[in-house]
Amino acid sequence: MTEALVFMLGLGLICGSILSIASKIFYVYEDPRKTEVEGLLAGANCGGCGFAGCAAAAEAVVTGEAPPSVCIVGGAESAANVARVMGVDAGTAEPKFSSSKCDGGNRAEDSYFYMGVDSCQAVSAFFGGKRKCDVGCLGYGDCVRACLFNAIKIGPEGFPVIDEKKCVGCGACERACPKQVLSVTTIRDRLLHFNREDDCLAPCQQTCPAQIDIPLYIAQIKNGDYEGAVRTIRDRNPLLLSCGRVCPHPCENICRRGIEDEPVSINQLKRFVADREMNSGSRIPIPCAPPTGKKVAVIGGGPAGLTCAYFLKRLGHNVSIYEAMPKPGGMIRYGIPEYRLPKKVLDWEIEGILNLGIRVHTNVKMGVDFDIPSLVAADYDAIFLGIGAWKDYLLKIEGENLSGCHTGIDFLSRIASGESIPIGRKVVVVGGGNTAIDCVRTLVRLGAEEVYIVYRRTRKEMPANVVEIEAADHEGVKFIFLAAPVRVLGDDQGKVTQLEYLKMELGEPDASGRRRPVPVKGSETLLPVDMVISAIGQEPEMTFKGEGKRAQSLKTTRRNTIEVNPETLQSSIPYIFAAGDVATGPSLVVEAIGGGRLAARSIHLYLSGKTVTPPEKSLFKRHIPGTLFDSVPGIQKVPRVPMPEIPVGERIYSFVEVDQVVSEEDAKKESSRCLNCGRICYNKDVAA
Amino acid sequence: MGDYIQMIIGFILVNNILLMQYLGNCPFLGTSKRMETAVGMAMAVVFVLVMAGAITWATETYLLKPLGLEYLRTMSFIVVIAALVQFVEMFLKKSVPELYTGLGIYLPLITTNCAVLGVCLINIKEEYNFMQTIVSSFGYSSGFGFALILFAGVRERVLLGRVPKALQDTSIGLITAGMLSLAFFGFKGMI
Amino acid sequence: MAKTLTQEFAKGLWAEIPPFRLVLGLCPTLAVTKTVENAIGMGIAVIFVLTGSNMLVAALRKIIPNKVRIACFIIVIATFVIVVEQLMQAYTYSLFLKLGIFIPLIVVNCIPLGRAEAFAYKNGIAASTADGLGLGIGYALSLTVLSAIREVFGNGTFLGATVFGPSFQPFKFMVEAPGAFVCLGLMLCIMNAMGKK
């Protein structure tokens, strides 16, 4: 008896001491939550959960692949304890769902007649299936049989429909499908998917800088699933109210319907669902992945910063925004005037993003109130720079600093902050971009009697949105084309009295493909004005670079933007990422949104300890070969729904929103004009 | 040398530990749903079992027998195996992280795998010497891995079949294992 | 949790009967069900170990530190297994030989370990004992039923006594390994069909 006891004690002692020494020697850092979760699982290593033992299950829980209720032996109590460690409700760990990317296939023509076994795997063996569409669903239902949970059935249109309530994300259907139509994704995977060369994509989705699944949300609107449409847009773009109003919608330019007919009014439909959510008074909940415990600082609360913060938060990271202005929003708050994007709408939109649990510090400026080393010292794991391009270019002509001279962004942001600036009677704005147009339309509303735009090329070359130029025209703005300012003249009190400009003519095309304006000798003309605003472009303000060694080692480009890898948006300092105007130079809001999401992906990779690599097979700005057509046969012309707007007589005296939202009836009508490219195999005999 | 080869073939095909000796069935059914998991598990079992066989043989010969404490065999074996697995896990994590990412998560699962303890006990019962212990551990564990990988291949296919509801999952898994076992029956009398 | 002891006991007999409802502890289920005699012997051993370990774990649950609880459970279970082993060796030597290594292997059977973790570590001695007893008897019953099917068809006998006439050709498949797998698979199927809780 004593012998046995001594023996067992000795054995235990030897094993214990060897292990404790080994654990010190072979110490490797790992997520502390893993050990904690492992301790809460049953430890029976029975494999009943489908993972290879309790340690594997714990790892899956920590990485968000398995729900806290993973353990079948431990039961409800273990689930509750694990959930507590992970900081989520039991059963709400990142849910995995199967989703089908094909919504059709029955409409495509057959290329041969098939009479074999009823199995997708078998059919696909013969030339990839009998239909002409070689990427779509075959419809024989291998996935239905593979699903152990009866969550999939073949819908009336011959493609799989998934019951999200039953789906557990086991992935059996994904493995069964020979066409990769079904894929099992988590929130993270879905949010971080970028358009790929081998995706089945409509031209509009390929073109959209934010890569919104446009055909899907239009189909959802058509079926009356407005909430679903909002969710689809939010998976790519958190600023749908703003974009629905100000986006110049490059997607519509490439719409296949536009080849034969007017393009689908995509942006109006986005605005319709976005406004509907806002007017309903309740917000559609936004699901987030379980918290990871990592901290990211987002510098700049503009579209790029807000988008990046939004996606990082949804990926489970802890985000704080640092904003130099009194309120977040950046250029879309201070650069876009009230009549295009009402502040009330913007406030509601930003509030929705911040409600996810993002902290905002306003009135703090990088390089003044804090700098890169202080953020590192405050334990931030990564930094995102989205400080925009706020520094106006100067005309570099004589008399530019006379009283009555302003610069575009400065002027707009002061107006937007509620400052009152004395407005002249006759005002001239120099420049042809959106900022110039915003300035003139603002001036009209502020009571200027005569407003001129001076631009050195012609109307055709103006970089501003066409609709904006037209609207300015309607509101009585006078355009002076082919004119280059050379001097601002003032009176003896230092006030502006005249602008002198040279007439130009168009010469050879330059690098941008536009014809270069050449001055006409001796054509000096005087324009009597009492206010001059120059809006000829902006660049990022890099004053923070003066602060300390760290900031100085951040590489910048010739155009004074931050140098980043265009495919990952990582800067020369590995933990700093940049997107939006500060990385691209002045560009579209939707471009900044696309950049914000790409940066969020890279930051997520960086924080997960993986190498920051570009998305695989990414399309970026390119189009999939063969998806841009010259003609689309079988289309019957249906005019697009006109956009309601306030008449000119009413609108020029106030800052009320000019463009109005379409009615539900019109939205339905417009959505049915969509050809469903990339969703349903196109067949001219049944085309809409 | 010839004897050893014969032993190994015998353990893999004729006396397959999973299909003929009924050992290690919990992980067999648990980890065979995916090929990837099955391969990892198979490798880990071979890895651990050979070491466990050696160390338990040493425990038996140099500690239990001289002290006359054979009745403590079960308890001391499980303690030794558990400690060994923990040690190997820590060692791999630090020194051979490539191997750890492949096998690591399967290692703790093996502590309570009855195939491991079972083979160690069989080795003692058959009174093998050290070399025979190593060979038999290797043979049995390879047999385990072989059957597991075969079974995972079959099971991935079965997932696609139209299985009646009541038969799904473990039930059809066991019947499939039965068929596989029947196939292995054909090797009987080979040696 | 206001379950009575009877309920704790009864759930092991049907609602959570291993290995059918709680798919754990398959190896001995397959290995020892060749004859009813073996199955009953094994069943009794499991009842003893499960009840004993549940009782002891429940009694010690306030003392066992959380971090090393799994190791402690294994030691407790191993103790009872050794006791059973010694007792069987002493009183039913022939049965001990037949069951062979499956008696020591109860240590790594998931049932006692799983119950220790999931139940005994959190509940009182009485409830844990009832739980262990119930599940143990349930397990023993399952083994007996399975072995009865296998022995009757595979060998034509029940507890060694001949059941069919001399013309009966034993269905040898049933007592061999493949039969064990198929038979258990079909039993599981029947249980599934009989009642999704």
Side-chain angles (χ1 to χ4, degrees):
Chain A
M1 184 65 198
T2 15
E3 233 178 351
L5 263 178
V6 169
F7 174 77
M8 282 316 295
L9 277 175
L11 194 68
L13 216 59
I14 294 167
C15 290
S17 45
I18 291 181
L19 282 181
S20 55
I21 294 166
S23 70
K24 291 279 180 290
I25 299 173
F26 300 121
Y27 174 79
V28 178
Y29 175 79
E30 63 178 17
D31 197 330
R33 289 179 305 172
K34 201 191 132 189
T35 337
E36 218 171 315
V37 170
E38 200 184 329
L40 292 167
L41 299 176
N45 280 322
C46 59
C49 52
F51 289 96
C54 296
E59 198 169 328
V61 170
V62 172
T63 54
E65 278 169 31
S69 55
V70 63
C71 186
I72 57 160
V73 176
E77 200 165 331
S78 136
N81 288 335
V82 174
R84 205 192 55 237
V85 173
M86 298 298 297
V88 290
D89 295 340
T92 59
E94 193 172 5
K96 260 181 160 182
F97 287 122
S98 177
S99 61
S100 153
K101 49 178 200 189
C102 184
D103 263 19
N106 276 350
R107 289 175 64 186
E109 291 164 273
D110 285 355
S111 52
Y112 63 85
F113 188 63
Y114 177 80
M115 276 189 67
V117 189
D118 270 6
S119 151
C120 305
Q121 304 248 349
V123 186
S124 68
F126 300 106
F127 311 105
K130 63 170 182 169
R131 293 213 176 89
K132 273 192 175 163
C133 168
D134 62 354
V135 289
C137 172
L138 297 166
Y140 288 95
D142 280 13
C143 48
V144 177
R145 290 188 287 281
C147 182
L148 299 171
F149 304 90
N150 291 320
I152 306 180
K153 59 180 199 298
I154 294 289
E157 293 182 50
F159 55 85
V161 180
I162 293 139
D163 183 347
E164 287 210 349
K165 287 192 192 81
K166 286 184 185 166
C167 179
V168 299
C170 63
C173 51
E174 190 182 353
R175 288 190 292 278
C177 181
K179 288 291 194 182
Q180 284 104 42
V181 166
L182 290 155
S183 56
V184 173
T185 51
T186 58
I187 299 179
R188 287 195 182 116
D189 291 340
R190 212 172 60 230
L191 294 179
L192 296 178
H193 183 86
F194 280 80
N195 284 352
R196 283 166 62 113
E197 286 162 6
D198 51 0
D199 280 344
C200 177
L201 298 173
C204 49
Q205 195 185 347
Q206 295 178 39
T207 310
C208 177
Q211 309 191 349
I212 302 170
D213 192 342
I214 295 167
L216 176 62
Y217 84 72
I218 293 183
Q220 284 166 326
I221 293 174
K222 192 171 150 189
N223 299 329
D225 179 12
Y226 304 124
E227 274 198 23
V230 169
R231 268 195 220 105
T232 304
I233 301 170
R234 279 232 171 90
D235 276 356
R236 292 288 177 269
N237 179 348
L239 298 166
L240 54 172
L241 279 166
S242 311
C243 274
R245 287 172 166 73
V246 303
C247 188
H249 40 72
C251 50
E252 292 181 22
N253 303 343
I254 205 158
C255 173
R256 272 190 200 150
R257 190 165 198 111
I259 299 170
E260 307 287 339
D261 190 5
E262 287 175 299
V264 177
S265 192
I266 298 170
N267 207 35
Q268 274 302 310
L269 290 170
K270 184 195 297 139
R271 177 169 170 186
F272 165 72
V273 282
D275 276 26
R276 205 185 144 87
E277 187 204 1
M278 179 174 65
N279 296 333
S280 76
S282 66
R283 293 177 192 276
I284 297 168
I286 302 172
C288 293
T292 58
K294 302 276 184 192
K295 275 172 76 185
V296 185
V298 168
I299 320 297
L306 283 171
T307 308
C308 188
Y310 162 87
F311 281 108
L312 285 171
K313 185 69 207 177
R314 289 193 69 181
L315 293 168
H317 305 296
N318 201 342
V319 193
S320 301
I321 296 179
Y322 291 84
E323 167 61 53
M325 301 297 275
K327 277 179 162 188
M331 236 8 143
I332 51 175
R333 178 182 297 277
Y334 294 102
I336 292 176
E338 174 80 18
Y339 62 87
R340 279 178 73 197
L341 174 58
K343 299 287 174 277
K344 214 179 71 203
V345 174
L346 185 63
D347 286 340
W348 196 85
E349 179 140 282
I350 293 177
E351 189 189 299
I353 296 173
L354 301 183
N355 279 352
L356 293 177
I358 298 168
R359 268 196 76 189
V360 185
H361 308 262
T362 50
N363 285 319
V364 283
K365 197 169 176 187
M366 171 111 128
V368 179
D369 303 293
F370 63 93
D371 54 11
I372 295 170
S374 73
L375 290 176
V376 174
D379 275 344
Y380 282 105
D381 299 290
I383 297 171
F384 172 80
L385 287 181
I387 54 174
W390 285 62
K391 199 167 128 198
D392 287 293
Y393 284 134
L394 296 175
L395 287 167
K396 291 184 181 140
I397 57 172
E398 191 188 317
E400 208 178 343
N401 29 29
L402 287 170
S403 139
C405 283
H406 297 270
T407 54
I409 290 299
D410 180 61
F411 173 74
L412 287 175
S413 64
R414 280 163 66 187
I415 296 287
S417 321
E419 216 177 295
S420 70
I421 299 172
I423 300 299
R425 244 168 19 87
K426 293 174 94 179
V427 189
V428 64
V429 175
V430 183
N434 282 319
T435 311
I437 300 285
D438 286 341
C439 285
V440 291
R441 292 184 71 188
T442 302
L443 286 163
V444 168
R445 284 165 176 75
L446 288 174
E449 285 168 24
E450 275 177 59
V451 182
Y452 299 93
I453 271 200
V454 169
Y455 181 52
R456 58 196 186 122
R457 296 184 224 227
T458 65
R459 185 171 183 143
K460 218 171 72 197
E461 281 91 14
M462 279 178 86
N465 308 342
V466 179
V467 278
E468 290 287 305
I469 302 171
E470 277 169 10
D473 206 356
H474 291 160
E475 289 168 12
V477 173
K478 298 190 179 73
F479 291 81
I480 302 173
F481 293 113
L482 292 166
V486 285
R487 198 150 60 112
V488 183
L489 300 147
D491 58 14
D492 27 330
Q493 284 158 12
K495 278 192 169 168
V496 176
T497 53
Q498 280 166 319
L499 176 78
E500 185 182 311
Y501 63 87
L502 263 179
K503 288 195 175 149
M504 314 286 267
E505 57 187 13
L506 291 178
E508 293 301 304
D510 65 2
S512 70
R514 298 181 296 183
R515 290 172 68 191
R516 184 195 301 274
V518 187
V520 181
K521 275 209 175 111
S523 64
E524 285 89 348
T525 317
L526 286 174
L527 181 70
V529 290
D530 47 15
M531 187 175 182
V532 176
I533 296 175
S534 66
I536 53 167
Q538 307 103 261
E539 63 174 10
E541 205 171 331
M542 291 289 190
T543 43
F544 73 89
K545 282 207 63 184
E547 309 292 315
K549 253 182 156 176
R550 261 279 162 240
Q552 270 163 17
S553 68
L554 190 67
K555 281 191 193 154
T556 49
T557 63
R558 216 165 36 82
R559 295 188 305 145
N560 208 15
T561 57
I562 296 173
E563 191 180 299
V564 289
N565 176 338
E567 296 189 333
T568 61
L569 303 179
Q570 195 171 24
S571 74
S572 55
I573 301 174
Y575 58 84
I576 296 182
F577 299 80
D581 287 357
V582 77
T584 58
S587 186
L588 307 178
V589 173
V590 67
E591 200 76 58
I593 290 168
R597 187 167 74 95
L598 184 57
R601 174 189 176 274
S602 303
I603 295 173
H604 178 68
L605 288 180
Y606 179 79
L607 295 180
S608 321
K610 296 177 185 136
T611 22
V612 182
T613 48
E616 245 179 84
K617 293 189 181 172
S618 174
L619 266 185
F620 283 104
K621 301 284 157 65
R622 288 173 292 122
H623 287 98
I624 303 170
T627 55
L628 301 185
F629 300 163
D630 296 328
S631 66
V632 185
I635 289 195
Q636 286 154 12
K637 288 193 181 180
V638 184
R640 80 193 240 167
V641 168
M643 178 178 65
E645 55 174 34
I646 294 179
V648 176
E650 285 173 36
R651 75 193 193 206
I652 59 169
Y653 299 111
S654 74
F655 275 90
V656 293
E657 194 174 9
V658 172
D659 298 339
Q660 299 294 304
V661 68
V662 294
S663 66
E664 182 170 350
E665 194 190 334
D666 281 350
K668 283 238 161 122
K669 215 159 87 190
E670 188 61 26
S671 59
S672 62
R673 293 179 71 234
C674 177
L675 298 178
N676 277 306
C677 316
R679 292 177 55 74
I680 289 179
C681 314
Y682 183 73
N683 186 334
K684 67 176 174 357
D685 299 326
V686 281
Chain B
M1 194 61 209
D3 287 353
Y4 292 145
I5 291 172
Q6 197 179 359
M7 259 175 90
I8 289 179
I9 292 175
F11 289 139
I12 294 179
L13 296 179
V14 185
N15 284 318
N16 190 289
I17 184 167
L18 266 178
L19 299 170
M20 294 295 153
Q21 311 262 19
Y22 320 96
L23 285 176
N25 272 298
C26 295
F28 179 52
L29 289 163
T31 59
S32 62
K33 285 180 190 159
R34 284 169 58 199
M35 196 55 155
E36 199 188 316
T37 330
V39 174
M41 183 69 188
M43 306 297 272
V45 167
V46 175
F47 193 77
V48 168
L49 192 45
V50 173
M51 282 195 292
I55 199 159
T56 49
W57 184 85
T59 313
E60 171 76 18
T61 324
Y62 298 116
L63 285 174
L64 295 175
K65 251 204 189 127
L67 291 172
L69 289 170
E70 281 102 332
Y71 62 91
L72 282 178
R73 194 181 290 146
T74 316
M75 199 186 268
S76 49
F77 276 17
I78 193 122
V79 170
V80 168
I81 294 175
L84 173 80
V85 170
Q86 281 264 297
F87 183 82
V88 168
E89 195 191 351
M90 284 189 264
F91 174 76
L92 285 185
K93 206 188 261 182
K94 180 78 177 182
S95 313
V96 207
E98 302 82 27
L99 199 59
Y100 179 76
T101 42
L103 304 183
I105 51 167
Y106 307 103
L107 288 175
L109 184 53
I110 291 168
T111 321
T112 49
N113 182 342
C114 49
V116 175
L117 187 61
V119 170
C120 295
L121 290 172
I122 290 172
N123 286 340
I124 303 302
K125 217 173 97 194
E126 300 286 327
E127 289 171 1
Y128 286 141
N129 63 28
F130 185 72
M131 205 49 215
Q132 282 169 322
T133 301
I134 298 289
V135 170
S136 104
S137 304
F138 178 74
Y140 272 124
S141 54
S142 312
F144 178 89
F146 181 57
L148 184 60
I149 291 168
L150 278 185
F151 186 56
V154 176
R155 222 161 162 203
E156 280 194 340
R157 289 273 146 189
V158 170
L159 270 180
L160 300 180
R162 300 184 197 206
V163 180
K165 205 168 171 183
L167 271 171
Q168 277 167 4
D169 210 30
T170 317
S171 179
I172 192 74
L174 280 166
I175 293 172
T176 317
M179 301 300 151
L180 207 57
S181 161
L182 200 58
F184 271 70
F185 229 64
F187 295 116
K188 235 181 183 177
M190 204 170 91
I191 292 171
Chain C
M1 220 187 256
K3 278 191 188 167
T4 62
L5 292 183
T6 340
Q7 277 170 323
E8 294 293 1
F9 175 73
K11 73 170 189 253
L13 299 183
W14 181 254
E16 289 181 22
I17 183 169
F20 300 120
R21 293 281 191 227
L22 214 60
V23 188
L24 294 173
L26 290 177
C27 307
T29 315
L30 293 166
V32 302
T33 51
K34 212 180 257 189
T35 63
V36 179
E37 192 193 348
N38 285 359
I40 292 175
M42 183 70 184
I44 291 169
V46 171
I47 293 172
F48 178 79
V49 172
L50 192 53
T51 317
S53 69
N54 256 10
M55 208 188 317
L56 197 56
V57 168
L60 296 175
R61 72 182 190 281
K62 300 243 166 64
I63 312 167
I64 297 176
N66 203 31
K67 288 230 162 181
V68 292
R69 64 185 199 282
I70 304 288
C72 294
F73 297 161
I74 294 185
I75 301 290
V76 168
I77 295 162
T79 312
F80 282 98
V81 170
I82 291 175
V83 171
V84 165
E85 212 181 343
Q86 299 296 317
L87 285 174
M88 288 186 93
Q89 207 165 359
Y91 296 107
T92 55
Y93 190 65
S94 65
L95 187 63
F96 174 78
L97 284 185
K98 277 189 200 148
L99 291 175
I101 62 165
F102 287 95
I103 294 292
L105 284 182
I106 298 175
V107 178
V108 283
N109 188 321
C110 302
I111 300 177
L113 198 53
R115 290 327 286 179
E117 162 73 20
F119 197 89
Y121 194 53
K122 293 162 193 153
N123 290 288
I125 300 178
S128 303
T129 314
D131 176 77
L133 206 58
L135 280 165
I137 293 175
Y139 189 60
L141 272 178
S142 308
L143 290 185
T144 313
V145 172
L146 194 60
S147 63
I149 296 171
R150 284 182 69 195
E151 192 185 338
V152 167
F153 288 105
N155 220 6
T157 57
F158 183 78
L159 275 170
T162 317
V163 181
F164 301 104
S167 62
F168 176 72
Q169 279 291 321
F171 186 31
K172 265 283 179 247
F173 171 78
M174 292 300 275
V175 289
E176 297 293 350
F181 283 109
V182 173
C183 202
L184 183 58
L186 289 176
M187 288 276 291
L188 262 176
C189 164
I190 293 165
M191 289 295 281
N192 282 343
M194 267 161 70
K196 286 268 175 198
K197 282 171 267 181

